[in-house]
Amino acid sequence: MAKATFALEAGGPQRLELSWGMFWKNFQITLDGQQVGTVEGGQKALKEGAEFRLPDGSTLHVQLVQSAMNVELRVLRNGAPLPGSASDPAQRVKSAAYLLYFLAGLNTLLGVVAMVVMSEMLEGMGVGIGNILFGAIVAALGFFTYRRSRVAPVLAIVLYAADSLYTLASFSGSGRTPPVAGIIFRIYIIYALVQAVKAAGELARQEERAGPGLSPQP
Amino acid sequence: MLCLRCHQVALGEKPSKRATLALAFATLGFCGFLPGIVAIVLGHQELASIRRGEAPGSGEGLAVLARNVGWFHLAMLVIMVLGLALRA
């Protein structure tokens, strides 16, 4: 059984538990250990969405949303995404930042291996100290993306789009077919970054609507 | 169950400065690896503070990321030092 737990409010205890079996069958929702509801019918029923009343009177909406690039379980309470859920803009921004840090680490690892091993094959592939520099730039963009900058993910999109075009041009120039997996992965990266741009904008709008907080900042 | 003050701290919207600094050092580590060691220390300290309820829970993600990236930098430093030493 797969499961996911959520807090009902940011920073609160994770009281809500969603669990499901293979192909999203036997989908159950419990709050503080008490069952709130179930969704029978597996993936098809979940795609239509289901609503449940929580003990505090709020309405919980769960829905499976499938797009070209991923499958997302949307969990909304009174229309707002639960903290940490896939559709929570803060979670989308964090996911994009984690992706950028992962890519930075991958490039850095390749660069370090190239420096240590001194392989002709790696040199032929263009792997070298440039990867370490690229990794540092991507990490910096990851840092500012995590800090909810709207500019950083845009710059990362431009960087990866340019890198993809350069890679495609290199392969075309040498008459080789670019690897399909690599192209798909790059499309996924750009898709995740576009989601992060939208999410950072949504977070900025939420902060403007909320206004200054009542408690003093540390 | 957290006490009222700890709950208020946990719900604090902004992460602490130490959490942000930890991630900053983790990011700087991509330019030389040594700052990653500072990120490990700061990340661990921040996580301990969060568990005690002395720091906002919103900094947990930052602290975990900083700590993990810091360990990555330490591993890269060891690989580089060992690799270059063996080549010499």
mmCIF file of all heavy atoms in Angstrom, chain B residues 9-57:
data_model
loop_
_atom_site.group_PDB
_atom_site.id
_atom_site.type_symbol
_atom_site.label_atom_id
_atom_site.label_comp_id
_atom_site.label_asym_id
_atom_site.label_seq_id
_atom_site.Cartn_x
_atom_site.Cartn_y
_atom_site.Cartn_z
ATOM 1 N N VAL B 9 6.226 28.926 16.809
ATOM 2 C CA VAL B 9 7.515 28.979 16.121
ATOM 3 C C VAL B 9 7.475 28.080 14.886
ATOM 4 O O VAL B 9 7.926 28.439 13.812
ATOM 5 C CB VAL B 9 8.660 28.539 17.073
ATOM 6 C CG1 VAL B 9 9.944 28.305 16.299
ATOM 7 C CG2 VAL B 9 8.882 29.584 18.144
ATOM 8 N N ALA B 10 6.885 26.897 15.049
ATOM 9 C CA ALA B 10 6.835 25.938 13.938
ATOM 10 C C ALA B 10 6.022 26.485 12.774
ATOM 11 O O ALA B 10 6.307 26.185 11.623
ATOM 12 C CB ALA B 10 6.236 24.615 14.416
ATOM 13 N N LEU B 11 5.001 27.303 13.093
ATOM 14 C CA LEU B 11 4.167 27.853 12.031
ATOM 15 C C LEU B 11 4.775 29.123 11.441
ATOM 16 O O LEU B 11 4.196 29.712 10.554
ATOM 17 C CB LEU B 11 2.762 28.179 12.565
ATOM 18 C CG LEU B 11 1.849 26.966 12.775
ATOM 19 C CD1 LEU B 11 0.521 27.414 13.369
ATOM 20 C CD2 LEU B 11 1.590 26.255 11.464
ATOM 21 N N GLY B 12 5.925 29.561 11.987
ATOM 22 C CA GLY B 12 6.570 30.783 11.497
ATOM 23 C C GLY B 12 6.828 30.676 10.006
ATOM 24 O O GLY B 12 7.288 29.681 9.507
ATOM 25 N N GLU B 13 6.520 31.697 9.287
ATOM 26 C CA GLU B 13 6.528 31.576 7.838
ATOM 27 C C GLU B 13 7.921 31.520 7.249
ATOM 28 O O GLU B 13 8.149 30.821 6.270
ATOM 29 C CB GLU B 13 5.753 32.729 7.237
ATOM 30 C CG GLU B 13 4.259 32.550 7.440
ATOM 31 C CD GLU B 13 3.471 33.718 6.927
ATOM 32 O OE1 GLU B 13 4.084 34.711 6.525
ATOM 33 O OE2 GLU B 13 2.249 33.638 6.950
ATOM 34 N N LYS B 14 8.872 32.297 7.806
ATOM 35 C CA LYS B 14 10.192 32.340 7.179
ATOM 36 C C LYS B 14 11.165 31.412 7.910
ATOM 37 O O LYS B 14 11.181 31.349 9.129
ATOM 38 C CB LYS B 14 10.733 33.761 7.213
ATOM 39 C CG LYS B 14 9.980 34.700 6.290
ATOM 40 C CD LYS B 14 10.834 35.898 5.922
ATOM 41 C CE LYS B 14 10.018 36.960 5.228
ATOM 42 N NZ LYS B 14 9.896 36.777 3.829
ATOM 43 N N PRO B 15 12.028 30.707 7.148
ATOM 44 C CA PRO B 15 13.060 29.902 7.809
ATOM 45 C C PRO B 15 14.051 30.810 8.540
ATOM 46 O O PRO B 15 14.154 31.995 8.230
ATOM 47 C CB PRO B 15 13.753 29.194 6.640
ATOM 48 C CG PRO B 15 12.888 29.386 5.456
ATOM 49 C CD PRO B 15 12.074 30.601 5.691
ATOM 50 N N SER B 16 14.796 30.234 9.469
ATOM 51 C CA SER B 16 15.764 31.046 10.211
ATOM 52 C C SER B 16 16.936 31.425 9.301
ATOM 53 O O SER B 16 17.157 30.809 8.254
ATOM 54 C CB SER B 16 16.289 30.276 11.423
ATOM 55 O OG SER B 16 17.171 29.255 10.993
ATOM 56 N N LYS B 17 17.700 32.429 9.732
ATOM 57 C CA LYS B 17 18.852 32.885 8.929
ATOM 58 C C LYS B 17 19.891 31.771 8.816
ATOM 59 O O LYS B 17 20.578 31.651 7.794
ATOM 60 C CB LYS B 17 19.469 34.118 9.573
ATOM 61 C CG LYS B 17 18.616 35.352 9.371
ATOM 62 C CD LYS B 17 19.270 36.606 9.895
ATOM 63 C CE LYS B 17 18.364 37.796 9.589
ATOM 64 N NZ LYS B 17 18.131 38.684 10.673
ATOM 65 N N ARG B 18 19.999 30.952 9.884
ATOM 66 C CA ARG B 18 20.989 29.884 9.839
ATOM 67 C C ARG B 18 20.649 28.863 8.753
ATOM 68 O O ARG B 18 21.540 28.360 8.072
ATOM 69 C CB ARG B 18 21.086 29.178 11.195
ATOM 70 C CG ARG B 18 22.121 28.061 11.209
ATOM 71 C CD ARG B 18 22.424 27.562 12.583
ATOM 72 N NE ARG B 18 21.222 27.259 13.320
ATOM 73 C CZ ARG B 18 21.189 27.010 14.626
ATOM 74 N NH1 ARG B 18 22.291 27.069 15.334
ATOM 75 N NH2 ARG B 18 20.064 26.734 15.232
ATOM 76 N N ALA B 19 19.369 28.566 8.567
ATOM 77 C CA ALA B 19 18.968 27.612 7.529
ATOM 78 C C ALA B 19 19.333 28.158 6.149
ATOM 79 O O ALA B 19 19.861 27.430 5.298
ATOM 80 C CB ALA B 19 17.468 27.338 7.618
ATOM 81 N N THR B 20 19.048 29.434 5.947
ATOM 82 C CA THR B 20 19.364 30.063 4.656
ATOM 83 C C THR B 20 20.874 30.098 4.439
ATOM 84 O O THR B 20 21.360 29.820 3.329
ATOM 85 C CB THR B 20 18.796 31.491 4.613
ATOM 86 O OG1 THR B 20 17.405 31.444 4.948
ATOM 87 C CG2 THR B 20 18.946 32.101 3.237
ATOM 88 N N LEU B 21 21.610 30.405 5.507
ATOM 89 C CA LEU B 21 23.078 30.448 5.411
ATOM 90 C C LEU B 21 23.644 29.065 5.094
ATOM 91 O O LEU B 21 24.587 28.925 4.306
ATOM 92 C CB LEU B 21 23.643 30.954 6.744
ATOM 93 C CG LEU B 21 25.086 31.445 6.740
ATOM 94 C CD1 LEU B 21 25.237 32.622 5.792
ATOM 95 C CD2 LEU B 21 25.491 31.862 8.151
ATOM 96 N N ALA B 22 23.041 28.040 5.684
ATOM 97 C CA ALA B 22 23.491 26.665 5.418
ATOM 98 C C ALA B 22 23.358 26.355 3.938
ATOM 99 O O ALA B 22 24.272 25.803 3.310
ATOM 100 C CB ALA B 22 22.678 25.672 6.261
ATOM 101 N N LEU B 23 22.209 26.727 3.345
ATOM 102 C CA LEU B 23 22.014 26.449 1.912
ATOM 103 C C LEU B 23 22.932 27.308 1.058
ATOM 104 O O LEU B 23 23.417 26.853 0.016
ATOM 105 C CB LEU B 23 20.549 26.666 1.521
ATOM 106 C CG LEU B 23 20.206 26.127 0.131
ATOM 107 C CD1 LEU B 23 20.386 24.625 0.052
ATOM 108 C CD2 LEU B 23 18.777 26.497 -0.261
ATOM 109 N N ALA B 24 23.208 28.528 1.527
ATOM 110 C CA ALA B 24 24.132 29.396 0.780
ATOM 111 C C ALA B 24 25.525 28.769 0.731
ATOM 112 O O ALA B 24 26.177 28.736 -0.321
ATOM 113 C CB ALA B 24 24.184 30.778 1.420
ATOM 114 N N PHE B 25 25.988 28.249 1.879
ATOM 115 C CA PHE B 25 27.298 27.589 1.900
ATOM 116 C C PHE B 25 27.284 26.320 1.045
ATOM 117 O O PHE B 25 28.263 25.999 0.376
ATOM 118 C CB PHE B 25 27.710 27.249 3.340
ATOM 119 C CG PHE B 25 28.439 28.378 4.019
ATOM 120 C CD1 PHE B 25 27.801 29.192 4.943
ATOM 121 C CD2 PHE B 25 29.779 28.628 3.729
ATOM 122 C CE1 PHE B 25 28.473 30.241 5.562
ATOM 123 C CE2 PHE B 25 30.454 29.674 4.345
ATOM 124 C CZ PHE B 25 29.800 30.481 5.262
ATOM 125 N N ALA B 26 26.161 25.600 1.070
ATOM 126 C CA ALA B 26 26.054 24.395 0.244
ATOM 127 C C ALA B 26 26.153 24.766 -1.238
ATOM 128 O O ALA B 26 26.764 24.045 -2.029
ATOM 129 C CB ALA B 26 24.735 23.677 0.522
ATOM 130 N N THR B 27 25.579 25.889 -1.615
ATOM 131 C CA THR B 27 25.639 26.348 -3.011
ATOM 132 C C THR B 27 27.050 26.800 -3.362
ATOM 133 O O THR B 27 27.567 26.480 -4.436
ATOM 134 C CB THR B 27 24.640 27.487 -3.232
ATOM 135 O OG1 THR B 27 23.351 27.071 -2.777
ATOM 136 C CG2 THR B 27 24.543 27.867 -4.700
ATOM 137 N N LEU B 28 27.682 27.523 -2.435
ATOM 138 C CA LEU B 28 29.064 27.979 -2.667
ATOM 139 C C LEU B 28 30.006 26.793 -2.798
ATOM 140 O O LEU B 28 31.051 26.884 -3.456
ATOM 141 C CB LEU B 28 29.530 28.843 -1.488
ATOM 142 C CG LEU B 28 29.112 30.300 -1.536
ATOM 143 C CD1 LEU B 28 29.467 30.995 -0.231
ATOM 144 C CD2 LEU B 28 29.761 31.027 -2.711
ATOM 145 N N GLY B 29 29.641 25.694 -2.185
ATOM 146 C CA GLY B 29 30.460 24.489 -2.248
ATOM 147 C C GLY B 29 30.681 23.990 -3.671
ATOM 148 O O GLY B 29 31.656 23.312 -3.954
ATOM 149 N N PHE B 30 29.784 24.362 -4.586
ATOM 150 C CA PHE B 30 29.970 23.966 -5.991
ATOM 151 C C PHE B 30 31.127 24.721 -6.633
ATOM 152 O O PHE B 30 31.530 24.398 -7.745
ATOM 153 C CB PHE B 30 28.678 24.195 -6.791
ATOM 154 C CG PHE B 30 27.633 23.145 -6.543
ATOM 155 C CD1 PHE B 30 26.632 23.361 -5.614
ATOM 156 C CD2 PHE B 30 27.655 21.938 -7.222
ATOM 157 C CE1 PHE B 30 25.663 22.396 -5.371
ATOM 158 C CE2 PHE B 30 26.692 20.971 -6.984
ATOM 159 C CZ PHE B 30 25.695 21.197 -6.058
ATOM 160 N N CYS B 31 31.663 25.720 -5.916
ATOM 161 C CA CYS B 31 32.811 26.477 -6.431
ATOM 162 C C CYS B 31 34.114 26.081 -5.748
ATOM 163 O O CYS B 31 35.123 26.740 -5.939
ATOM 164 C CB CYS B 31 32.582 27.979 -6.212
ATOM 165 S SG CYS B 31 31.147 28.596 -7.057
ATOM 166 N N GLY B 32 34.127 25.039 -4.960
ATOM 167 C CA GLY B 32 35.381 24.691 -4.310
ATOM 168 C C GLY B 32 35.283 23.621 -3.237
ATOM 169 O O GLY B 32 36.270 23.244 -2.654
ATOM 170 N N PHE B 33 34.077 23.146 -2.984
ATOM 171 C CA PHE B 33 33.788 22.019 -2.081
ATOM 172 C C PHE B 33 33.959 22.326 -0.592
ATOM 173 O O PHE B 33 33.214 21.817 0.221
ATOM 174 C CB PHE B 33 34.604 20.763 -2.426
ATOM 175 C CG PHE B 33 34.407 20.289 -3.843
ATOM 176 C CD1 PHE B 33 35.468 19.895 -4.631
ATOM 177 C CD2 PHE B 33 33.142 20.245 -4.404
ATOM 178 C CE1 PHE B 33 35.277 19.465 -5.946
ATOM 179 C CE2 PHE B 33 32.941 19.818 -5.712
ATOM 180 C CZ PHE B 33 34.025 19.428 -6.475
ATOM 181 N N LEU B 34 34.968 23.116 -0.199
ATOM 182 C CA LEU B 34 35.201 23.359 1.235
ATOM 183 C C LEU B 34 34.012 24.034 1.935
ATOM 184 O O LEU B 34 33.685 23.662 3.069
ATOM 185 C CB LEU B 34 36.479 24.186 1.436
ATOM 186 C CG LEU B 34 37.779 23.401 1.252
ATOM 187 C CD1 LEU B 34 38.986 24.313 1.317
ATOM 188 C CD2 LEU B 34 37.901 22.302 2.300
ATOM 189 N N PRO B 35 33.343 25.008 1.302
ATOM 190 C CA PRO B 35 32.171 25.582 1.978
ATOM 191 C C PRO B 35 31.102 24.532 2.288
ATOM 192 O O PRO B 35 30.257 24.749 3.164
ATOM 193 C CB PRO B 35 31.646 26.612 0.965
ATOM 194 C CG PRO B 35 32.828 26.976 0.147
ATOM 195 C CD PRO B 35 33.651 25.734 0.053
ATOM 196 N N GLY B 36 31.133 23.403 1.572
ATOM 197 C CA GLY B 36 30.164 22.339 1.839
ATOM 198 C C GLY B 36 30.290 21.790 3.252
ATOM 199 O O GLY B 36 29.312 21.336 3.844
ATOM 200 N N ILE B 37 31.518 21.836 3.808
ATOM 201 C CA ILE B 37 31.730 21.334 5.163
ATOM 202 C C ILE B 37 31.005 22.238 6.162
ATOM 203 O O ILE B 37 30.391 21.767 7.133
ATOM 204 C CB ILE B 37 33.241 21.254 5.480
ATOM 205 C CG1 ILE B 37 33.907 20.260 4.524
ATOM 206 C CG2 ILE B 37 33.478 20.846 6.936
ATOM 207 C CD1 ILE B 37 35.407 20.221 4.588
ATOM 208 N N VAL B 38 31.043 23.532 5.910
ATOM 209 C CA VAL B 38 30.294 24.484 6.759
ATOM 210 C C VAL B 38 28.804 24.196 6.640
ATOM 211 O O VAL B 38 28.068 24.253 7.629
ATOM 212 C CB VAL B 38 30.605 25.939 6.337
ATOM 213 C CG1 VAL B 38 29.823 26.921 7.184
ATOM 214 C CG2 VAL B 38 32.088 26.218 6.431
ATOM 215 N N ALA B 39 28.362 23.855 5.431
ATOM 216 C CA ALA B 39 26.945 23.563 5.212
ATOM 217 C C ALA B 39 26.505 22.349 6.028
ATOM 218 O O ALA B 39 25.397 22.324 6.573
ATOM 219 C CB ALA B 39 26.674 23.308 3.724
ATOM 220 N N ILE B 40 27.368 21.343 6.130
ATOM 221 C CA ILE B 40 27.032 20.145 6.918
ATOM 222 C C ILE B 40 26.815 20.545 8.383
ATOM 223 O O ILE B 40 25.818 20.165 9.014
ATOM 224 C CB ILE B 40 28.158 19.084 6.834
ATOM 225 C CG1 ILE B 40 28.303 18.565 5.404
ATOM 226 C CG2 ILE B 40 27.859 17.915 7.771
ATOM 227 C CD1 ILE B 40 29.533 17.688 5.205
ATOM 228 N N VAL B 41 27.743 21.319 8.914
ATOM 229 C CA VAL B 41 27.668 21.717 10.332
ATOM 230 C C VAL B 41 26.419 22.561 10.585
ATOM 231 O O VAL B 41 25.636 22.280 11.504
ATOM 232 C CB VAL B 41 28.944 22.501 10.730
ATOM 233 C CG1 VAL B 41 28.804 23.094 12.118
ATOM 234 C CG2 VAL B 41 30.171 21.606 10.656
ATOM 235 N N LEU B 42 26.228 23.577 9.755
ATOM 236 C CA LEU B 42 25.063 24.457 9.949
ATOM 237 C C LEU B 42 23.751 23.695 9.757
ATOM 238 O O LEU B 42 22.776 23.927 10.487
ATOM 239 C CB LEU B 42 25.122 25.635 8.968
ATOM 240 C CG LEU B 42 26.197 26.682 9.226
ATOM 241 C CD1 LEU B 42 26.195 27.742 8.125
ATOM 242 C CD2 LEU B 42 26.026 27.349 10.580
ATOM 243 N N GLY B 43 23.716 22.800 8.783
ATOM 244 C CA GLY B 43 22.509 22.014 8.525
ATOM 245 C C GLY B 43 22.145 21.152 9.732
ATOM 246 O O GLY B 43 20.988 21.100 10.169
ATOM 247 N N HIS B 44 23.152 20.484 10.299
ATOM 248 C CA HIS B 44 22.915 19.642 11.482
ATOM 249 C C HIS B 44 22.437 20.488 12.662
ATOM 250 O O HIS B 44 21.509 20.111 13.378
ATOM 251 C CB HIS B 44 24.191 18.878 11.857
ATOM 252 C CG HIS B 44 24.347 17.587 11.128
ATOM 253 N ND1 HIS B 44 23.548 16.487 11.361
ATOM 254 C CD2 HIS B 44 25.199 17.224 10.149
ATOM 255 C CE1 HIS B 44 23.911 15.507 10.561
ATOM 256 N NE2 HIS B 44 24.906 15.920 9.803
ATOM 257 N N GLN B 45 23.078 21.639 12.856
ATOM 258 C CA GLN B 45 22.695 22.508 13.985
ATOM 259 C C GLN B 45 21.251 22.983 13.828
ATOM 260 O O GLN B 45 20.481 23.012 14.789
ATOM 261 C CB GLN B 45 23.624 23.729 14.038
ATOM 262 C CG GLN B 45 24.999 23.426 14.575
ATOM 263 C CD GLN B 45 25.881 24.666 14.641
ATOM 264 O OE1 GLN B 45 25.618 25.690 14.004
ATOM 265 N NE2 GLN B 45 26.943 24.580 15.413
ATOM 266 N N GLU B 46 20.894 23.345 12.602
ATOM 267 C CA GLU B 46 19.548 23.854 12.365
ATOM 268 C C GLU B 46 18.502 22.757 12.587
ATOM 269 O O GLU B 46 17.450 22.993 13.183
ATOM 270 C CB GLU B 46 19.453 24.395 10.933
ATOM 271 C CG GLU B 46 18.107 24.980 10.581
ATOM 272 C CD GLU B 46 17.753 26.212 11.379
ATOM 273 O OE1 GLU B 46 18.646 26.779 12.055
ATOM 274 O OE2 GLU B 46 16.580 26.602 11.347
ATOM 275 N N LEU B 47 18.807 21.548 12.130
ATOM 276 C CA LEU B 47 17.854 20.446 12.315
ATOM 277 C C LEU B 47 17.672 20.145 13.800
ATOM 278 O O LEU B 47 16.551 19.881 14.259
ATOM 279 C CB LEU B 47 18.334 19.197 11.571
ATOM 280 C CG LEU B 47 18.171 19.258 10.053
ATOM 281 C CD1 LEU B 47 18.881 18.105 9.374
ATOM 282 C CD2 LEU B 47 16.705 19.267 9.650
ATOM 283 N N ALA B 48 18.761 20.194 14.564
ATOM 284 C CA ALA B 48 18.658 19.963 16.006
ATOM 285 C C ALA B 48 17.797 21.048 16.651
ATOM 286 O O ALA B 48 16.956 20.760 17.509
ATOM 287 C CB ALA B 48 20.058 19.942 16.623
ATOM 288 N N SER B 49 17.979 22.298 16.212
ATOM 289 C CA SER B 49 17.166 23.402 16.760
ATOM 290 C C SER B 49 15.699 23.222 16.407
ATOM 291 O O SER B 49 14.823 23.492 17.231
ATOM 292 C CB SER B 49 17.622 24.743 16.169
ATOM 293 O OG SER B 49 18.839 25.115 16.718
ATOM 294 N N ILE B 50 15.421 22.777 15.199
ATOM 295 C CA ILE B 50 14.020 22.579 14.779
ATOM 296 C C ILE B 50 13.379 21.491 15.630
ATOM 297 O O ILE B 50 12.242 21.621 16.078
ATOM 298 C CB ILE B 50 13.950 22.235 13.276
ATOM 299 C CG1 ILE B 50 14.312 23.459 12.433
ATOM 300 C CG2 ILE B 50 12.567 21.730 12.888
ATOM 301 C CD1 ILE B 50 14.561 23.171 10.976
ATOM 302 N N ARG B 51 14.113 20.423 15.896
ATOM 303 C CA ARG B 51 13.564 19.322 16.710
ATOM 304 C C ARG B 51 13.286 19.766 18.132
ATOM 305 O O ARG B 51 12.343 19.292 18.768
ATOM 306 C CB ARG B 51 14.513 18.125 16.712
ATOM 307 C CG ARG B 51 14.424 17.308 15.439
ATOM 308 C CD ARG B 51 15.213 16.020 15.484
ATOM 309 N NE ARG B 51 15.590 15.664 14.123
ATOM 310 C CZ ARG B 51 16.812 15.717 13.618
ATOM 311 N NH1 ARG B 51 17.823 16.088 14.372
ATOM 312 N NH2 ARG B 51 17.058 15.405 12.363
ATOM 313 N N ARG B 52 14.107 20.706 18.617
ATOM 314 C CA ARG B 52 13.878 21.230 19.987
ATOM 315 C C ARG B 52 12.776 22.270 19.995
ATOM 316 O O ARG B 52 12.380 22.732 21.057
ATOM 317 C CB ARG B 52 15.170 21.864 20.532
ATOM 318 C CG ARG B 52 16.245 20.864 20.916
ATOM 319 C CD ARG B 52 17.332 21.533 21.749
ATOM 320 N NE ARG B 52 17.977 22.614 21.034
ATOM 321 C CZ ARG B 52 19.101 22.482 20.331
ATOM 322 N NH1 ARG B 52 19.678 21.317 20.225
ATOM 323 N NH2 ARG B 52 19.627 23.527 19.709
ATOM 324 N N GLY B 53 12.303 22.679 18.839
ATOM 325 C CA GLY B 53 11.257 23.695 18.759
ATOM 326 C C GLY B 53 11.789 25.108 18.862
ATOM 327 O O GLY B 53 11.045 26.042 19.119
ATOM 328 N N GLU B 54 13.099 25.276 18.666
ATOM 329 C CA GLU B 54 13.704 26.607 18.816
ATOM 330 C C GLU B 54 13.840 27.328 17.481
ATOM 331 O O GLU B 54 14.274 28.480 17.448
ATOM 332 C CB GLU B 54 15.088 26.463 19.465
ATOM 333 C CG GLU B 54 15.018 25.993 20.913
ATOM 334 C CD GLU B 54 16.377 25.532 21.430
ATOM 335 O OE1 GLU B 54 17.385 25.733 20.729
ATOM 336 O OE2 GLU B 54 16.411 24.948 22.525
ATOM 337 N N ALA B 55 13.551 26.636 16.401
ATOM 338 C CA ALA B 55 13.671 27.270 15.081
ATOM 339 C C ALA B 55 12.425 26.936 14.260
ATOM 340 O O ALA B 55 11.777 25.917 14.514
ATOM 341 C CB ALA B 55 14.920 26.767 14.358
ATOM 342 N N PRO B 56 12.053 27.803 13.306
ATOM 343 C CA PRO B 56 10.840 27.540 12.518
ATOM 344 C C PRO B 56 10.953 26.248 11.710
ATOM 345 O O PRO B 56 11.976 25.971 11.101
ATOM 346 C CB PRO B 56 10.757 28.745 11.567
ATOM 347 C CG PRO B 56 11.660 29.763 12.141
ATOM 348 C CD PRO B 56 12.713 29.046 12.917
ATOM 349 N N GLY B 57 9.875 25.481 11.726
ATOM 350 C CA GLY B 57 9.844 24.222 10.981
ATOM 351 C C GLY B 57 9.976 24.411 9.479
ATOM 352 O O GLY B 57 10.366 23.497 8.765
#
